[in-house]
């Protein structure tokens, strides 16, 4: 894999996730919920962290950033499954099986979980130097398809170029866990039309709509059959505002709440203060925003007015 020569750096304005290219290209199968936990965790890593550093993830923060609701039971099942799944990292000389967590602890009544990374995987997340991939956290979290999240990781590695390298379809499918390299599991989306409809087209649409990159793909034929895929890349201004992850958790939640209120057209200082000052109103805001995005609430004319009515503020 061709590495990018990028100087590592962090900013308090636009948080950036950085991960080793070996992890980007590794074979692993995470659900959308698991990838959200993974991306959020990566955003909290700092190069001067202690070897036994614990990372706290607040459930409401993840919900606020993704627009999706995860309850404790879903998260417990997600982290339990993540703990049993491995990263397969292969080079010319070695093949490694790595696991993400040393320990995960849920703090009852606090709405948060604490994670400790396993020792062997830490070098891939911290010792990045020149060989790493960087991509914006808020973009990764806005993608709902797990394949879109993985493909965004992949194309971000090449974002300083106009296209990725050409990936043989076997390799590409193995990276997305659509195909077992040992042939013990059935291959998913064997038909090229299925691969396009269920993976490639969805990923192109979501990545282009919600991230800093506009992408497309080219399928390459060998004879009469498609044999490989290549992604074209163009930079664009991301639609989402940066998320201030360097701020305390409560500040980050308030920041997201202000974004939701502005999107609903609620900008009057008194109303904004009433919503932000009441935990019940805040919970209702994130719930309402989620339901609005998933069409569980119909309010095409005046969603802001409906929200205020639900809260008893109008």
């Amino acid at each position: 894999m061709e590495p990018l020569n990028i100087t590592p750096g962090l900013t308090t304005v636009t948080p950036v996730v950085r991960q080793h290219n070996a992890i980007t290209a590794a074979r692993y199968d995470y659900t959308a919920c698991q990838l959200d936990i993974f991306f959020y965790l990566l955003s909290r890593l700092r190069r001067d962290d202690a070897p036994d550093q614990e990372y706290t993830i607040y459930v409401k923060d993840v919900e606020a950033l993704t627009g999706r609701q995860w309850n404790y039971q879903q998260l417990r099942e997600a982290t339990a499954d993540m703990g049993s799944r491995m990263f397969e990292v292969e080079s010319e000389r070695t093949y490694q099986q790595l696991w993400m967590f040393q320990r995960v602890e849920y703090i009852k009544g606090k709405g948060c979980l604490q994670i400790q990374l396993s020792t062997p995987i830490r070098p891939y997340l911290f010792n990045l130097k020149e060989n790493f991939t960087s991509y914006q956290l808020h973009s990764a979290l806005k993608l709902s398809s797990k394949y879109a999240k993985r493909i965004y990781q992949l194309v971000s590695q090449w974002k300083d170029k106009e296209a990725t390298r050409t990936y043989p379809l076997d390799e590409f499918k193995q990276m997305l866990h659509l195909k077992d390299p040992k042939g013990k599991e059935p291959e998913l989306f064997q038909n090229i039309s299925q691969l396009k409809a269920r993976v490639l087209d969805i990923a192109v649409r979501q990545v282009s709509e919600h991230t800093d990159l506009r992408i497309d793909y080219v399928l390459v034929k060998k004879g009469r059959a498609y044999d490989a895929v290549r992604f074209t890349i163009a930079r664009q201004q991301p639609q989402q505002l940066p998320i201030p992850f360097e701020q305390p958790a409560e500040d980050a939640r308030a920041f997201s709440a202000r974004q939701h209120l502005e999107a609903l057209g609620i900008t009057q200082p008194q109303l904004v203060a009433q919503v932000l000052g009441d935990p019940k109103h805040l919970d209702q805001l994130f719930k309402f925003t989620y339901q609005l995005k998933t069409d569980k609430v119909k309010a095409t004319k005046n969603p802001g007015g409906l929200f205020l009515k639900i809260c008893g503020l109008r």
Side-chain angles (χ1 to χ4, degrees), residues 1 18-28 30 38 42 87-90 98 100 120-125 128 131 133 135 150 153 157 175:
M1 177 178 301
R18 306 191 187 283
Q19 70 182 84
H20 198 286
N21 283 348
I23 295 297
T24 300
R27 295 186 294 270
Y28 62 95
Y30 277 179
F38 182 42
L42 288 175
F87 290 82
E88 296 181 88
V89 181
E90 191 167 359
L98 304 174
M100 178 64 66
I121 205 167
R122 292 179 67 88
Y124 289 95
L125 303 179
L128 305 172
N131 184 28
T133 298
Y135 52 91
R150 288 288 278 126
Q153 287 178 272
Q157 179 190 338
M175 289 168 58

Side-chain angles (χ1 to χ4, degrees), residues 48-242:
D48 58 351
D49 287 344
D52 58 349
Q53 178 76 39
E54 292 183 344
Y55 302 94
T56 302
I57 295 179
Y58 287 88
V59 178
K60 289 182 178 179
D61 282 350
V62 179
E63 291 179 345
L65 298 174
T66 62
R68 295 180 290 278
Q69 292 181 309
W70 307 115
N71 59 44
Y72 247 20
Q73 184 61 33
Q74 289 174 308
L75 291 173
R76 287 178 63 177
E77 292 175 357
T79 53
D81 192 46
M82 291 171 76
S84 66
R85 292 177 183 264
M86 67 182 177
F87 290 82
E88 296 181 88
V89 181
E90 191 167 359
S91 66
E92 293 182 358
R93 296 191 305 168
T94 65
Y95 165 77
Q96 295 185 74
Q97 296 177 341
L98 304 174
W99 286 264
M100 178 64 66
F101 303 140
Q102 176 70 29
R103 182 179 63 86
V104 179
E105 181 177 355
Y106 284 80
I107 312 301
K108 296 181 179 179
K110 297 292 185 180
C112 67
L113 56 150
Q114 293 180 336
I115 291 175
Q116 193 172 14
L117 294 170
S118 67
T119 300
I121 205 167
R122 292 179 67 88
Y124 289 95
L125 303 179
F126 289 98
N127 300 337
L128 305 172
K129 298 185 179 179
E130 294 182 350
N131 184 28
F132 67 85
T133 298
S134 67
Y135 52 91
Q136 293 176 309
L137 171 66
H138 70 280
S139 294
L141 288 171
K142 290 296 181 182
L143 305 174
S144 59
S145 163
K146 69 175 184 178
Y147 301 125
K149 291 174 184 288
R150 288 288 278 126
I151 288 173
Y152 181 52
Q153 287 178 272
L154 190 66
V155 297
S156 291
Q157 179 190 338
W158 302 87
K159 66 182 179 182
D160 289 337
K161 302 181 183 295
E162 295 181 353
T164 67
R165 71 175 177 88
T166 300
Y167 294 92
L169 282 181
D170 278 351
E171 178 186 348
F172 177 72
K173 287 184 175 182
Q174 288 173 22
M175 289 168 58
L176 269 64
H177 221 272
L178 300 174
K179 183 175 183 177
D180 182 358
K182 298 180 180 179
K184 295 182 178 180
E185 299 177 6
E187 180 180 344
L188 299 178
F189 314 133
Q190 296 185 47
N191 188 294
I192 197 67
S193 62
Q194 293 178 325
L195 182 67
K196 290 171 64 176
R198 302 289 295 276
V199 178
L200 296 172
D201 291 344
I202 292 175
V204 164
R205 184 176 69 252
Q206 290 194 8
V207 170
S208 297
E209 288 180 357
H210 298 296
T211 79
D212 54 321
L213 303 178
R214 186 174 68 254
I215 68 170
D216 205 345
Y217 65 89
V218 177
L219 288 168
V220 181
K221 278 188 172 181
K222 184 176 182 181
R224 294 185 177 182
Y226 289 106
D227 180 67
V229 62
R230 179 176 64 254
F231 294 91
T232 59
I233 307 167
R235 294 287 192 98
Q236 64 179 358
Q237 186 67 27
Q239 296 179 7
Q240 292 79 25
L241 292 174

